[in-house]
Amino acid sequence: MKVGGLLNRRDLLAWAGLAAAALGAPSMANTAGGAANSKRPGGAFPPGFLWGVATAGHQVEGSNTNSDVWALEHVKPTIFAESSGDACDQYHRYREDIALLASLGFNSYRFSLEWSRIEPAPGEYLLAELEHYRRVLAACHEHGVAPVVTFNHGTTPRWFAALGGWENPQSPELFAKYCERVVQHLGDLINVASTLNEPNIPMVIRWLKLPPALIAAQAGMLRSAASASGSERFSSMLAGDEQKMQPQLLRAHRDAYTVLKSGPGKFPVGVNLAIIDDQAVGPDSQLDKKRQECYAAWLDAAAQSDYVGVQTYGRSLIGKDGPVQPPAGAELTQMGEEFYPRALANTIRYAAAATRKPVYVTENGIATEDDARRVAYIKVAVQGVEQCLAEGIDVRSYIHWSLLDNFEWLFGFRPKFGLVAVDRKTQVRSIKPSAHFLGAMAREHDDRKNAF
Ligand code: BGC
């Protein structure tokens, strides 16, 4: 398979990990959800609109050693290009990072809580870790930044994975208990919450029709992790059996929604979905089939929540046999997907129409070393949001992925999604022009008085 052919970013990501393994890479606002689609004159960004940046615990905190993904990074064989190691050391540097994003002009920060730190053994909740996240939330509020909190983003505790992860019929109860303990401790400081990050991603990945060699390598990695942890089945969101995980993930979201709504705190709760701008090409396109398999159940779940979180990076052309190549000569990002910022407006429209709920854009971004292309991408994507507002769609945030150049899962640290660069040796942050560009836009449209 050649880059720029049938590969999109996740496909490429997976292959990069496989190649690295083969080469011997290291192995071992309290705002309430309202009615959608109320007409807004002119499409101006409404009061309280959240302009933010996103990260996720495992990708930035560093030394997340109790997580399933850390285990997968370190077994032999592994499909991870490298260890997450210290990541961006945000576990210790969160104050500086929050101060930085606030100074850039952003009024919200989306980050995730690391379940594996909070509950490193079943039923054992560490107060010190809950207090850590209380301090992170407090730092947001001190800077006038609304915390948008993801309860689970990609990783689970190692013990949970060793019980079969999301394939385990008991997994929704285990997740609900964690959510209950956490919301009791932190709920009063949360402005917006989501239960799960991209629980539909396993189905989306399935549609990439990954090569058998990669699937075999992944299975080998999971077997090694199982034997290292004395379990029969080690399963992770990033590498589990998508068909077996889906029913539990749906139930986990539903149950966690109920738990989080019981407070303390009174904040909207939703679910963040990976939504590609799928476009039909040629006769007999499989577009509807893909949408049915990847999004339908999750859009229903979002419709029964307070909002739908839209996470979009680009488009995919779907023909009669599935995904087809991007147009000849298309500009590709570092993830091997087409540069296509117009995707966001289309997925906002799609998610809003399917759910009739407010839309929070919780991720949108581009992996590139050329920051000028990031600026160009953001410009078009934000125009798309504005257009959707003008059409009367209730969009409540534009949260960019990502604040920092961080650990991009199987791909390691190579792809650069950050508005802010991170020196891998010193952890020194350097602000890119795109951060100033989006921050200025945020400042221009922000209405702090109404943001909380
Ligand atoms: C995930 C992030 C990831 C980003 C870029 C999203 O699917 O939520 O964790 O880093 O895409 O690939």
Side-chain angles (χ1 to χ4, degrees):
M1 290 169 97
K2 62 180 173 34
V3 174
L6 272 182
L7 289 174
N8 71 13
R9 68 197 183 94
R10 286 177 210 288
D11 205 345
L12 181 60
L13 178 153
W15 269 104
L18 184 63
L23 292 170
S27 55
M28 215 29 291
N30 294 341
T31 45
N37 301 338
S38 56
K39 279 273 172 217
R40 312 174 178 285
F45 291 93
F49 190 87
L50 298 179
W51 292 89
V53 284
T55 61
H58 189 76
Q59 297 180 264
V60 295
E61 285 182 349
S63 61
N64 192 23
T65 55
N66 277 319
S67 70
D68 57 345
V69 174
W70 180 275
L72 295 175
E73 289 162 19
H74 292 83
V75 290
K76 276 193 176 107
T78 181
I79 59 170
F80 283 81
E82 56 187 315
S83 161
S84 52
D86 286 322
C88 304
D89 192 30
Q90 196 185 70
Y91 188 81
H92 301 105
R93 295 167 196 257
Y94 67 89
R95 283 184 200 286
E96 295 89 320
D97 284 346
I98 292 166
L100 174 64
L101 70 93
S103 75
L104 285 166
F106 296 104
N107 67 9
S108 69
Y109 181 39
R110 174 172 175 247
F111 63 94
S112 73
L113 308 171
E114 260 307 309
W115 183 2
S116 60
R117 289 189 197 276
I118 295 171
E119 191 184 359
E124 192 172 335
Y125 298 95
L126 298 186
L127 190 58
E129 298 296 346
L130 287 165
E131 280 293 296
H132 166 79
Y133 288 112
R134 237 189 123 72
R135 288 191 291 274
V136 176
L137 288 160
C140 288
H141 289 286
E142 278 159 29
H143 288 281
V145 165
V148 177
V149 177
T150 314
F151 275 67
N152 180 259
H153 192 129
T155 50
T156 63
R158 199 185 280 227
W159 60 261
F160 177 90
L163 290 174
W166 297 108
E167 297 171 24
N168 172 5
Q170 263 83 57
S171 54
E173 284 80 26
L174 296 169
F175 183 56
K177 279 189 195 145
Y178 150 78
C179 288
E180 190 177 3
R181 184 70 190 84
V182 172
V183 78
Q184 279 165 7
H185 204 84
L186 305 177
D188 58 318
L189 295 181
I190 293 175
N191 282 51
V192 179
S194 67
T195 54
L196 298 165
N197 182 70
E198 299 189 346
N200 66 326
I201 198 74
M203 294 306 266
V204 171
I205 291 174
R206 184 163 183 249
W207 264 79
L208 300 176
K209 307 200 186 337
L210 296 177
L214 175 63
I215 293 172
Q218 183 170 295
M221 175 181 74
L222 291 178
R223 272 197 304 277
S224 295
S227 80
S229 48
S231 102
E232 276 172 25
R233 172 70 177 158
F234 191 98
S235 175
S236 163
M237 172 94 91
L238 296 178
D241 179 319
E242 64 282 349
Q243 303 277 30
K244 290 192 185 145
M245 287 193 283
Q246 169 114 325
Q248 274 75 241
L249 285 166
L250 283 163
R251 197 148 60 81
H253 164 70
R254 251 197 336 264
D255 296 353
Y257 174 84
T258 307
V259 167
L260 299 184
K261 291 307 280 185
S262 350
K266 196 170 177 309
F267 44 83
V269 178
V271 58
N272 310 319
L273 304 182
I275 311 186
I276 299 174
D277 178 15
D278 295 309
Q279 300 180 3
V281 288
D284 304 321
S285 162
Q286 291 193 11
L287 176 71
D288 290 345
K289 185 170 190 283
K290 180 179 182 190
R291 286 186 162 177
Q292 184 58 34
E293 290 183 15
C294 295
Y295 313 120
W298 284 104
L299 290 166
D300 278 358
Q304 288 159 49
S305 312
D306 300 333
Y307 72 88
V308 55
V310 167
Q311 313 205 148
T312 296
Y313 290 82
R315 73 168 169 177
S316 176
L317 304 177
I318 311 290
K320 65 177 177 22
D321 299 318
V324 301
Q325 300 189 0
E331 176 183 351
L332 301 179
T333 73
Q334 267 185 315
M335 302 300 274
E337 81 186 328
E338 186 184 351
F339 177 96
Y340 194 76
R342 286 164 55 203
L344 183 60
N346 292 336
T347 56
I348 291 173
R349 290 185 187 107
Y350 172 60
T355 61
R356 316 296 297 170
K357 287 286 173 173
V359 172
Y360 282 75
V361 174
T362 42
E363 282 185 29
N364 174 248
I366 173 177
T368 179
E369 291 276 7
D370 180 354
D371 196 55
R373 296 311 290 150
R374 193 179 335 276
V375 170
Y377 182 97
I378 290 171
K379 207 182 268 178
V380 175
V382 173
Q383 272 164 7
V385 174
E386 203 163 3
Q387 180 57 39
C388 289
L389 286 163
E391 291 165 18
I393 300 175
D394 186 0
V395 190
R396 303 207 174 174
S397 69
Y398 177 80
I399 300 181
H400 191 79
W401 185 273
S402 178
L403 171 64
L404 303 171
D405 283 340
N406 60 39
F407 180 71
E408 180 54 31
W409 305 113
L410 305 190
F411 240 154
F413 291 97
R414 200 177 69 82
K416 306 291 187 244
F417 277 98
L419 298 171
V420 174
V422 178
D423 185 302
R424 296 251 33 87
K425 290 207 175 71
T426 62
Q427 296 287 356
V428 168
R429 274 62 167 151
S430 311
I431 300 169
K432 302 180 192 176
S434 56
H436 289 300
F437 178 77
L438 183 57
M441 224 186 253
R443 195 173 274 123
E444 182 194 337
H445 294 287
D446 187 15
D447 175 351
R448 293 260 165 170
K449 293 185 296 303
N450 299 313
F452 290 89

